[in-house]
Amino acid sequence: MRGLLWLLALFALAVGISLAARFNDGYLLLVVPPYRIEVALTLAIFLFFAAFVLLYALLHAIGLTLSLPNRVSAFRARRRREKAAASFHEAVRLLFEGRFTQALSKAAEAYTTGQSPGMAALIAARAAQRLREPEKEKEWLDRVSVGDRKLEPARLMLQAEIAIDRGQFQDATAALHDLQNLTGRHIAALRLELRAQQGCGNWQEVLRLARLLEKREALLPEPAQEIKTKAHQENIRQLQSDKSQLLDYLRQVPARERSPRLTYTSAEAFLEHGADDEAQRLIEKQLDTQWDSALVQLYGQVRGSDLTSCIARAEKWLPQHPDDARLLLTLGRLCVAQRLWGKAQIYLEASLSLHDQRAVRLELARLFERTERSDEAMPHYRAAAEQVA
């Protein structure tokens, strides 16, 4: 519609000019001795306009001819930029597709042509990491922030991740420390640091990071609890040779971070140290809160100052857990330690009827030997040996 309107306007203009020319009787007189030239004014105007157009076209053609080398250079540069941009986009796509060899090649092309060289080097370093080529990883990492210091945090993050993948946890923590000095540590950096500190065995720092990530809702409660339990267990193993330090540490553990596994490790440490009474109290407190059969079985190894109270406590649990074979085994062991042979046999045979365990067979065999019933002990020894085989 717009083209049609322009065409109509041009026709109208042409009609207007022709009508004006018909009623124009003027002329133009040029005197160039010895010549006199008389030209109609309308024709003169037309000739002047045509001459102007021709002159403009000639000058424009000369200008285009003179600028042709620059225009060709600009065209080639534009083509190189377009090719470099295409290589860069291809590198990104190939990296996400998992085609790391091609991604590395395309990223190298983009870097060579100057298309976002820092980002291209970062992509190349990531591709080299996936290809397990350490020399190329280092080469490209060194190139990342040469032209753009804004990419230094990204380079440090990738460097830390590569170090963790290689098991170089100290190098990873050093890179993350440099990152903290630059920009602080965001959630992703804290997650990397958590892995690095786990690898270094800095369990107190692991606890701090796990609590921080859980508080920021960057770590689900179940994995966070698992990590914290592991850290507590390792700290307890390091302190198990010093009873007072171990007790101080356990008092500092928040109630929400206590678990049967943690209690098991703590009780084991006390038992190895000969602190059976502390182990007894610890297990009883945990079992009153949360039942755990493995912890109950460990309770049977306690030899505190008052085994009678241990037996009484375990018998109180029995009505609530009558089908727990480990509880019956524990009662049998405690009764054996108190030389209550009859009760011990009853509990051990009840445990065996629920679950045929090698530990129960051996306890029964030893019980029969201690009560001078070797003929009854031998079948249990044989059954225990068959379970090992």
Side-chain angles (χ1 to χ4, degrees):
M1 181 60 71
R2 181 177 296 179
L4 181 60
L5 291 175
W6 274 108
L7 185 62
L8 291 174
L10 287 174
F11 277 122
L13 180 62
V15 170
I17 291 173
S18 63
L19 290 175
R22 178 178 299 177
F23 295 106
N24 182 11
D25 296 330
Y27 63 91
L28 178 66
L29 179 64
L30 296 176
V31 179
V32 182
Y35 303 104
R36 292 167 59 87
I37 303 173
E38 184 176 324
V39 183
L41 182 60
T42 303
L43 179 60
I45 293 172
F46 175 77
L47 290 175
F48 276 122
F49 180 76
F52 173 78
V53 171
L54 288 174
L55 180 62
Y56 175 81
L58 179 62
L59 292 176
H60 185 67
I62 293 172
L64 285 176
T65 303
L66 293 176
S67 66
L68 187 60
N70 292 333
R71 291 170 65 85
V72 170
S73 298
F75 172 75
R76 289 176 177 174
R78 185 170 66 253
R79 287 294 301 272
R80 285 195 298 269
R81 288 195 301 270
E82 291 173 355
K83 184 178 179 181
S87 295
F88 181 81
H89 295 151
E90 279 291 294
V92 175
R93 180 180 64 81
L94 291 167
L95 181 69
F96 280 102
E97 286 182 4
R99 297 161 67 183
F100 303 118
T101 302
Q102 295 92 325
L104 180 57
S105 175
K106 290 295 182 180
E109 287 181 15
Y111 181 86
T112 304
T113 53
Q115 176 66 34
S116 302
M119 285 298 299
L122 199 64
I123 293 170
R126 170 68 77 180
Q129 176 205 8
R130 299 301 188 192
L131 292 171
R132 303 295 180 186
E133 297 185 10
E135 293 181 0
K136 290 185 178 180
E137 285 175 11
K138 185 178 184 306
E139 176 187 350
W140 286 109
L141 277 175
D142 292 341
R143 298 180 184 181
V144 169
S145 53
V146 172
D148 188 356
R149 298 298 298 176
K150 291 182 180 179
L151 292 176
E152 183 64 11
R155 185 189 71 82
L156 289 171
M157 282 288 290
L158 181 55
Q159 182 179 340
E161 186 175 343
I162 290 172
I164 290 172
D165 288 343
R166 292 183 190 168
Q168 299 169 348
F169 301 109
Q170 293 291 349
D171 293 344
T173 54
L176 291 169
H177 179 73
D178 293 340
L179 176 64
Q180 183 180 25
N181 293 336
L182 280 176
T183 60
R185 294 180 187 173
H186 46 78
I187 295 298
L190 288 172
R191 285 174 174 161
L192 277 181
E193 186 180 3
L194 178 63
R195 292 171 58 192
Q197 296 295 354
Q198 285 177 299
C200 292
N202 298 329
W203 299 108
Q204 202 61 36
E205 189 66 12
V206 169
L207 279 172
R208 185 187 71 82
L209 291 169
R211 289 165 179 165
L212 180 59
L213 287 168
E214 186 179 19
K215 183 179 179 181
R216 294 187 182 183
E217 297 183 352
L219 198 61
L220 293 175
E222 292 79 8
Q225 182 63 28
E226 182 68 23
I227 291 170
K228 289 185 287 185
T229 298
K230 173 66 174 177
H232 283 308
Q233 286 177 316
E234 294 298 330
N235 284 333
I236 288 168
R237 292 187 180 103
Q238 293 173 6
L239 297 172
Q240 66 182 7
S241 59
D242 191 320
K243 177 182 173 182
S244 59
Q245 287 188 10
L246 181 56
L247 284 170
D248 290 340
Y249 181 84
L250 290 175
R251 291 191 191 100
Q252 296 172 10
V253 177
R256 65 180 179 277
E257 294 180 8
R258 298 180 185 274
S259 66
R261 283 174 54 201
L262 183 58
T263 302
Y264 192 99
T265 303
S266 306
E268 273 190 326
F270 280 127
L271 290 174
E272 289 180 11
H273 198 71
D276 288 61
D277 289 337
E278 284 77 5
Q280 176 186 342
R281 286 192 290 270
L282 198 64
I283 294 173
E284 289 174 351
K285 184 177 180 181
Q286 179 63 45
L287 289 176
D288 287 340
T289 304
Q290 183 179 358
W291 187 256
D292 184 78
S293 294
L295 201 55
V296 169
Q297 187 166 338
L298 184 63
Y299 190 69
Q301 300 177 23
V302 171
R303 298 296 179 267
S305 57
D306 188 6
L307 280 180
T308 304
S309 66
C310 290
I311 295 172
R313 191 67 171 264
E315 287 178 337
K316 286 183 180 179
W317 295 328
L318 190 57
Q320 301 171 12
H321 308 280
D323 297 328
D324 194 323
R326 292 186 178 184
L327 175 57
L328 292 166
L329 171 59
T330 292
L331 278 166
R333 284 173 169 169
L334 292 173
C335 290
V336 167
Q338 280 293 86
R339 296 178 176 273
L340 302 174
W341 312 121
K343 290 184 68 175
Q345 181 177 349
I346 292 171
Y347 286 132
L348 291 173
E349 288 177 345
S351 177
L352 188 64
S353 66
L354 291 173
H355 182 52
D356 191 350
Q357 300 180 73
R358 181 172 179 272
V360 179
R361 293 283 188 181
L362 290 175
E363 289 293 339
L364 276 170
R366 291 167 188 152
L367 170 63
F368 288 137
E369 279 195 342
R370 294 178 70 176
T371 55
E372 299 180 352
R373 291 182 285 175
S374 300
D375 55 335
E376 296 182 51
M378 290 307 297
H380 292 292
Y381 276 129
R382 283 194 295 270
E386 289 174 359
Q387 289 181 5
V388 172

